[in-house]
């Protein structure tokens, strides 16, 4: 049966080299078939058979470093259930950013420490061999085998002879090389420190954020990134936690102020946690400078909107007061106009009626609702109504007043079609928006004049 990720048989010395050389010679031989279609089919079938039957953890990588094929043992070694979870990824995914060291080389071998899917470190012997290009193809691939090796007396798991943890010196063992690529990809700053607050690891973001190099960080006390008032008491805080076990910062996040190498400070969120196995303390720091600026802009915008809303409310209140005054004034005006002995019509420059008084309704027979919104020509005889709108247009275009500001006798028409003589007086409002017409019924006056003439004959 096949070996599992935890049980590997010791192969004869040099077997890995021979295995890779075998693959290197096998693939070109299969591609020498006469038909391209037959070549591809035979190559695929042979390659799949080798991957299935091999007891080696194997990966086939193209010239760009992309994993094209893997054996089931390789997936099992790294803790993946399916080979497809590894294909089409860059080989750096498995080799912790060091994949280019093994690509397109005649033969390469090294023992490295890699990381499984679950984060466990494993010691692996990696052997690679270049696959020459086949006839008609320019692509060069690489076959890479992985074999687990045991490390007795692993410094990661043992304390030194003095009984001190190996992390206490401020330096991390080889696991740093295995995880550095992942940590450097983080957007947040990372500090790993000992219980004595000595920095043991930083990522690239930490160096970019604070201005110190990795060499300047390692071995120094973490208070170097703190403001003076915090740094003074920081070691006491940690000592008190280690003595009492009471967590105040550990396992939490809070907003603090950090200090760069140049002495400048910036707001940030600090999250702390402790690793039970190693005793190391990990701190992630997220710079809040951009967020604070954005918050300040948002607050300023909110303040501006609040001021505008306040002004609008004030203007609305003033407008409402003015409107109420206008309504009151209009009620007063209408009361006065309704008391008039003459009809009143208020029209706009399109001759549309906007206001009438009570006397207008009595004289002409229409209600106020029937008047409003209709053309003033409704109270004129047909011969006058036909030309009235044009009279208004001529006045608006020339400014020559023929009727405005004068009085003249005309004939008006009631709702029932009957007519009566009247005097029409027209005036224009100061703003030029409306025109007011007062109409005085002359029916009784004409009747009296006619009777006087009869008596004088």
């Amino acid at each position: 049966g096949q070996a599992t990720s935890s049980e590997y048989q010791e192969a004869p010395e040099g077997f890995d080299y021979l295995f890779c050389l075998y693959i290197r010679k096998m693939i070109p031989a299969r591609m020498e078939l006469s038909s391209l279609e037959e070549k591809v089919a035979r190559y695929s079938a042979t390659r799949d058979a080798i991957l299935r039957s091999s007891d080696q953890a194997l990966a086939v990588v193209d010239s760009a470093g992309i994993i094209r094929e893997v054996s089931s043992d390789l997936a099992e070694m790294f803790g993946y259930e399916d080979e497809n979870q590894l294909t089409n990824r860059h080989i750096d995914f498995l080799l912790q950013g060091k994949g280019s060291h093994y690509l397109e080389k005649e033969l390469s071998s090294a023992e490295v420490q890699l990381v499984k899917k679950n984060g466990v470190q494993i010691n692996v012997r990696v052997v690679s061999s270049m696959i020459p290009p086949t006839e008609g193809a320019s692509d060069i691939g690489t076959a890479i085998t992985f074999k687990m090796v045991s490390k007795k007396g692993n410094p990661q798991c043992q304390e030194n002879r003095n009984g001190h943890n190996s992390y206490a010196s401020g330096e991390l063992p080889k696991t740093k090389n295995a995880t550095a690529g992942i940590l450097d990809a983080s957007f947040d700053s990372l500090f790993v420190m000992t219980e004595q607050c000595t920095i043991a690891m930083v990522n690239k973001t930490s160096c970019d954020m604070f201005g110190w190099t990795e060499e300047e960080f390692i071995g120094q006390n973490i208070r170097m990134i703190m403001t003076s008032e915090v740094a003074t008491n920081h070691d006491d805080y940690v000592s008190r936690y280690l003595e009492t076990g009471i967590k105040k910062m550990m396992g939490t996040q809070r907003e603090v102020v950090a200090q760069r190498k140049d002495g400048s400070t910036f707001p940030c969120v600090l999250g702390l946690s402790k690793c039970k196995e190693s005793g190391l303390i990990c701190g992630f720091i997220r710079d809040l400078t951009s967020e604070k600026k954005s918050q300040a802009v948002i607050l300023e915008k909110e303040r501006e909107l609040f001021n505008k809303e306040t002004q609008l409310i004030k203007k609305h209140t003033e407008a409402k007061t003015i409107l109420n005054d206008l309504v009151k004034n209009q009620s007063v005006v209408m009361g006065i106009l309704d008391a008039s002995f003459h009809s009143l019509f208020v029209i706009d420059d399109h001759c549309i009626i906007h206001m009438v008084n009570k006397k207008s309704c009595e004289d002409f027979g229409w209600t106020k609702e029937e008047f409003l919104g209709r053309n003033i020509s409704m109270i004129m005889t047909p011969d006058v109504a036909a030309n009235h709108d044009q009279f208004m247009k001529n006045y608006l275009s020339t400014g020559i007043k023929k009727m405005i500001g004068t009085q003249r006798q005309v004939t008006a028409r009631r709702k029932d079609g009957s007519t009566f003589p009247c005097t029409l007086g027209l005036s224009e409002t100061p703003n030029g928006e409306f025109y007011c017409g007062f109409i005085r019924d002359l029916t009784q006056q004409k009747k009296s004049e006619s009777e006087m003439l009869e008596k004088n004959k």
Side-chain angles (χ1 to χ4, degrees):
Q2 293 183 349
T4 64
S5 61
S6 59
E7 297 178 347
Y8 277 78
Q9 300 293 328
E10 290 289 340
E13 187 173 356
F15 177 79
D16 298 318
Y17 291 94
L18 294 175
F19 184 80
C20 290
L21 289 173
Y22 168 70
I23 293 175
R24 185 180 63 180
K25 292 180 180 180
M26 178 277 296
I27 293 178
R30 296 302 183 191
M31 296 302 293
E32 291 177 358
L33 298 174
S34 58
S35 169
L36 179 60
E37 182 178 347
E38 185 178 356
K39 289 179 184 180
V40 174
R42 291 289 302 276
Y43 164 70
S44 299
T46 304
R47 177 197 59 201
D48 292 343
I50 291 173
L51 290 175
R52 288 194 302 270
S53 62
S54 172
D55 63 351
Q56 297 287 316
L58 171 67
V60 177
V61 183
D62 65 17
S63 59
I66 304 301
I67 302 173
R68 295 306 179 189
E69 299 289 343
V70 298
S71 66
S72 59
D73 286 289
L74 181 63
E76 185 178 4
M77 177 183 290
F78 282 88
Y80 292 90
E81 298 177 358
D82 188 353
E83 296 95 313
N84 293 329
Q85 292 178 285
L86 294 177
T87 55
N88 296 321
R89 296 193 180 205
H90 199 279
I91 191 62
D92 282 350
F93 175 71
L94 293 179
L95 295 177
Q96 306 297 319
K98 304 295 183 181
S100 59
H101 176 73
Y102 300 93
L103 298 181
E104 300 182 9
K105 293 188 178 180
E106 284 293 335
L107 202 60
S108 178
S109 175
E111 289 188 7
V112 296
Q113 192 170 63
L114 303 179
V115 180
K116 296 175 65 173
K117 180 183 177 182
N118 61 5
V120 174
Q121 290 90 24
I122 54 175
N123 296 302
V124 180
R125 185 164 180 252
V126 180
V127 180
S128 66
S129 178
M130 181 180 67
I131 302 173
T134 59
E135 182 179 355
S138 60
D139 189 45
I140 300 175
T142 304
I144 303 176
T145 61
F146 300 75
K147 182 178 180 181
M148 292 182 65
V149 295
S150 60
K151 290 280 187 178
K152 296 182 179 180
N154 191 336
Q156 300 172 46
C157 305
Q158 298 182 5
E159 295 182 343
N160 61 27
R161 295 180 180 178
N162 295 326
H164 297 294
N165 191 296
S166 60
Y167 297 115
S169 63
E171 297 182 357
L172 287 179
K174 293 181 180 179
T175 51
K176 177 182 176 182
N177 296 327
T179 57
I182 298 173
L183 298 178
D184 283 343
S186 172
F187 293 111
D188 296 329
S189 174
L190 166 72
F191 289 87
V192 178
M193 58 185 177
T194 67
E195 293 180 346
Q196 290 74 35
C197 303
T198 301
I199 300 173
M201 180 188 285
V202 296
N203 64 350
K204 185 176 182 297
T205 305
S206 299
C207 300
D208 295 339
M209 187 180 294
F210 287 90
W212 282 284
T213 64
E214 183 178 1
E215 291 73 18
E216 290 175 317
F217 270 129
I218 302 302
Q220 299 297 318
N221 194 291
I222 192 64
R223 60 173 172 263
M224 68 189 294
I225 66 169
M226 303 173 187
T227 56
S228 55
E229 58 270 18
V230 177
T232 304
N233 300 313
H234 180 264
D235 286 2
D236 291 338
Y237 297 152
V238 176
S239 298
R240 194 174 302 115
Y241 161 67
L242 295 174
E243 291 174 3
T244 64
I246 299 175
K247 298 180 180 180
K248 291 187 176 181
M249 284 284 290
M250 208 65 63
T252 66
Q253 292 186 359
R254 67 173 63 182
E255 189 172 322
V256 296
V257 177
Q259 181 171 287
R260 303 184 184 92
K261 182 178 181 179
D262 60 10
S264 61
T265 59
F266 63 95
C268 61
V269 171
L270 169 64
L272 289 176
S273 62
K274 184 178 181 181
C275 179
K276 294 181 179 179
E277 292 79 5
S278 64
L280 292 173
I281 299 172
C282 300
F284 279 92
I285 296 176
R286 179 163 58 90
D287 190 348
L288 295 179
T289 302
S290 297
E291 291 183 28
K292 292 293 184 182
K293 288 181 179 179
S294 298
Q295 289 175 2
V297 172
I298 292 173
L299 288 173
E300 183 61 29
K301 292 294 183 182
E302 289 179 347
R303 190 178 294 110
E304 291 177 2
L305 287 174
F306 176 78
N307 291 336
K308 289 181 179 179
E309 288 177 358
T310 303
Q311 293 175 2
L312 286 174
I313 292 172
K314 183 179 179 181
K315 289 180 178 180
H316 177 73
T317 303
E318 293 174 351
K320 191 174 181 180
T321 302
I322 293 172
L323 181 60
N324 290 335
D325 293 341
L326 288 174
V327 171
K328 291 178 181 178
N329 292 336
Q330 185 177 18
S331 299
V332 173
V333 171
M334 285 305 301
I336 296 172
L337 295 177
D338 283 341
S340 173
F341 294 110
H342 307 302
S343 298
L344 165 71
F345 291 87
V346 177
I347 64 173
D348 60 19
D349 53 8
H350 297 290
C351 303
I352 301 301
I353 300 171
H354 286 262
M355 182 185 294
V356 294
N357 65 352
K358 186 178 179 181
K359 184 62 174 174
S360 300
C361 299
E362 294 174 354
D363 285 349
F364 289 88
W366 282 283
T367 65
K368 183 180 294 187
E369 290 73 20
E370 290 175 320
F371 270 128
L372 298 181
R374 295 183 64 181
N375 196 291
I376 192 65
S377 59
M378 67 189 292
I379 66 171
M380 301 175 187
T381 56
D383 56 322
V384 177
N387 300 310
H388 182 265
D389 285 1
Q390 189 59 47
F391 296 155
M392 176 65 78
K393 290 179 181 178
N394 292 340
Y395 165 65
L396 293 174
S397 61
T398 64
I400 299 174
K401 298 178 180 179
K402 292 184 177 181
M403 286 286 290
I404 304 296
T406 65
Q407 291 185 4
R408 66 174 62 183
Q409 290 189 15
V410 296
T411 301
R413 183 173 67 89
R414 301 184 182 92
K415 182 178 181 179
D416 60 9
S418 61
T419 61
F420 63 94
C422 62
T423 299
L424 170 64
L426 287 176
S427 63
E428 186 177 7
T429 59
N431 56 13
E433 293 183 3
F434 297 100
Y435 304 88
C436 300
F438 282 92
I439 296 176
R440 181 163 61 90
D441 190 350
L442 297 179
T443 301
Q444 191 61 40
Q445 180 180 331
K446 292 292 184 181
K447 183 178 180 180
S448 298
E449 290 177 354
S450 179
E451 291 176 351
M452 288 291 294
L453 288 173
E454 278 296 323
K455 289 181 180 180
N456 291 332
K457 284 183 179 180

